[in-house]
Amino acid sequence: MAGQRVDEALQALGQAIARLEAAVTAREARQAEASAEGDRDDQDRTALRQEYELLRNDYHELRQVVEQVDGRLDGTVARLRALLEG
């Protein structure tokens, strides 16, 4: 179960990174085509900030899952040690 949550969180993080890369690529393409950048730069900054926020939220979610998994693994190791020592 914990492995599945880690996989899901990693998948969400990968999707967020892909969205961020797509936003950067789109911005670069628009920059190459555009002669006037005023309004587009503002829109690009807004889009990049939104993508950053999504990525940051996904990172925090992944971090929580990893902390849960780590805690469960520590508990399992402690129980195994107790069984082996007992």
Side-chain angles (χ1 to χ4, degrees), residues 18-65:
R19 288 192 308 265
L20 183 58
E21 289 173 347
V24 169
T25 301
R27 182 176 190 272
E28 289 171 347
R30 282 193 302 271
Q31 255 184 335
E33 295 172 0
S35 59
E37 296 179 5
D39 288 339
R40 284 190 180 178
D41 280 348
D42 291 340
Q43 292 172 354
D44 290 340
R45 279 189 213 97
T46 300
L48 288 173
R49 283 188 187 116
Q50 290 171 346
E51 288 297 324
Y52 171 75
E53 287 298 320
L54 289 172
L55 183 59
R56 192 171 79 168
N57 291 339
D58 288 344
Y59 169 77
H60 287 296
E61 180 183 331
L62 178 60
R63 184 175 177 153
Q64 288 175 342
V65 170

Side-chain angles (χ1 to χ4, degrees), residues 67-81:
E67 288 175 4
Q68 286 178 346
V69 170
D70 188 43
R72 289 179 183 172
L73 287 174
D74 287 346
T76 301
V77 168
R79 287 192 299 275
L80 286 173
R81 282 186 182 157

